[in-house]
Amino acid sequence: MPAKAAKAAKAAKAAKATKATKAAKIYSFEEAREAAYPYGFAIAPSINALSERAPNIGVISVADGKNTELKFSIKPTKPTAKPSKSTEAVAASTSKKRKAETEASPIDPSSIILLGEEEGELEIDQSCDQIRRKINNLINSGEMKVTHFQRECSINSNSYSRFMKLKGPYSGADNQTYEAAFIFFKKRELAGIKPRKTKPVAKDLDKFDVSDPELELDGEDEGEVEVYDTCDEIRRKINAHLRNDGVTKAGLGRTLGKMTPAGTPISIDDFLKKKGPEAGGSSNCFYAAYVFFEKLRIKQGKPKSEFRNEMEQIWAWKGGFPRRRPGYIICAADARPYTDKYGRIFSA
């Protein structure tokens, strides 16, 4: 009897395993990925490329990523017994720890493959304006600089600049930035990376818009507008402008970039760190900021300041404040050169 019982138990176990094997369907790679997509999962071709826990849905398991077919199943977890209070406390502590670890170390977005990405048949469900808005929010949050974002998306600066200047839900749909940025943000979303909060944007930021063609200055197209401000005066104006609600350094940098023929964003940090009437005069930030504030002055109908009129009287004969100066000063051996507030050099 014992032998017969053992044999029967063995047969029952084998039948159970056979039944379980038949129940587990084997999907092709494309079928597995398509089946997982609606649940927020993305299946990668490597078994170690992606692993995600979802208690409410289960765990999607990939048995073999090297073969042409992958095993794909959803295994929900069910508690076998009601836990005690001490067990619940330990479980809660462990859950918090795991949650903290998950937030600290999210899934690498680059390991995720979107449905249709490799075949070039990606379905984009967001407009160009929505993508531009996401890019601006990312940059304004300080999480990434423009150059870092361009590297992450493998796009060049010219395509990026052209795309960001456009307006309209379909304007820029054929630009490489549109699809690359959509893939970037979609993968971050699936990886559980939440966007940082940005500074609240004021509703009346249009008052700083100087894109009206009527405001164009002489020499602007060639990048040769005559400058009648010192570097210190421009730094003062920039710092005052940044105190306005909704104005950020990144946003101002993009605006200043549009004041130059190149049209690329400009970094203002290095310029703001300098001190002196002529310190930073050769930088693009100095020139672009002067053009911006001069156009803003004209738009707002403000008169020229007393300092501005004095600068014109001093530098008009030279075609404006000199942005580039020689690296030497000729003076008497016992004299010491100095610069006044207008940027003029004297010796005493």
Side-chain angles (χ1 to χ4, degrees), residues 16-293:
K16 186 178 180 181
T18 303
K19 184 179 179 182
T21 304
K22 289 181 179 179
K25 183 178 178 181
I26 295 179
Y27 289 75
S28 68
F29 174 63
E30 292 301 328
E31 289 174 334
R33 192 167 62 184
E34 188 173 355
Y37 195 78
Y39 296 99
F41 289 94
I43 303 300
S46 170
I47 189 171
N48 295 321
L50 182 65
S51 177
E52 183 172 3
R53 177 182 292 273
N56 296 329
I57 300 173
V59 177
I60 292 178
S61 63
V62 179
D64 187 0
K66 298 180 181 178
N67 300 327
T68 56
E69 290 188 340
L70 308 177
K71 289 182 181 178
F72 172 83
S73 62
I74 296 181
K75 302 176 183 177
T77 303
K78 296 181 180 179
T80 55
K82 186 177 179 180
S84 63
K85 290 184 179 180
S86 58
T87 306
E88 287 179 346
V90 172
S93 176
T94 305
S95 177
K96 289 180 181 179
K97 184 177 180 181
R98 285 178 179 172
K99 184 177 179 181
E101 289 175 352
T102 302
E103 291 177 352
S105 304
I107 299 168
D108 180 10
S110 63
S111 67
I112 299 175
I113 302 175
L114 301 180
L115 185 65
E117 180 183 354
E118 293 181 328
E119 300 81 6
E121 299 177 356
L122 189 69
E123 183 178 345
I124 302 178
D125 56 1
Q126 295 175 13
S127 69
C128 295
D129 281 340
Q130 286 177 308
I131 295 297
R132 277 187 280 267
R133 194 176 303 116
K134 285 189 174 184
I135 294 174
N136 284 329
N137 289 340
L138 177 71
I139 303 303
N140 289 338
S141 71
E143 183 178 350
M144 279 189 187
K145 293 184 178 180
V146 173
T147 52
H148 184 191
F149 175 74
Q150 291 171 353
R151 286 195 300 270
E152 288 290 319
C153 295
S154 299
I155 55 179
N156 60 63
S157 58
N158 290 332
S159 295
Y160 173 85
S161 298
R162 287 195 296 269
F163 179 75
M164 296 305 291
K165 287 180 180 179
L166 298 173
K167 291 182 179 180
Y170 306 108
S171 299
D174 57 345
N175 188 295
Q176 65 171 179
T177 305
Y178 177 49
E179 181 175 336
F182 171 79
I183 293 173
F184 172 82
F185 288 113
K186 190 65 177 179
K187 288 186 176 183
R188 283 167 62 93
E189 178 185 335
L190 291 175
I193 301 176
K194 297 181 180 180
R196 290 186 185 177
K197 293 182 179 180
T198 58
K199 289 175 64 177
V201 179
K203 294 181 180 179
D204 59 345
L205 281 183
D206 286 344
K207 66 183 181 182
F208 301 132
D209 182 12
V210 294
S211 60
D212 189 341
E214 295 294 327
L215 297 174
E216 186 171 331
L217 305 178
D218 292 339
E220 186 175 347
D221 286 339
E222 299 79 21
E224 296 294 336
V225 174
E226 293 184 359
V227 177
Y228 292 103
D229 263 333
T230 63
C231 296
D232 280 342
E233 181 66 9
I234 291 297
R235 275 186 280 270
R236 183 191 67 78
K237 290 181 178 180
I238 289 175
N239 286 323
H241 186 67
L242 289 173
R243 288 193 286 271
N244 288 299
D245 289 339
V247 177
T248 64
K249 286 184 179 180
L252 179 59
R254 288 192 298 274
T255 300
L256 296 187
K258 296 175 184 178
M259 303 298 110
T260 65
T264 54
I266 292 175
S267 174
I268 65 177
D269 286 325
D270 289 341
F271 177 73
L272 291 178
K273 291 176 183 177
K274 299 180 184 296
K275 290 183 180 181
E278 80 292 347
S282 61
S283 71
N284 288 333
C285 182
F286 171 60
Y287 170 79
Y290 174 82
V291 173
F292 170 70
F293 288 119

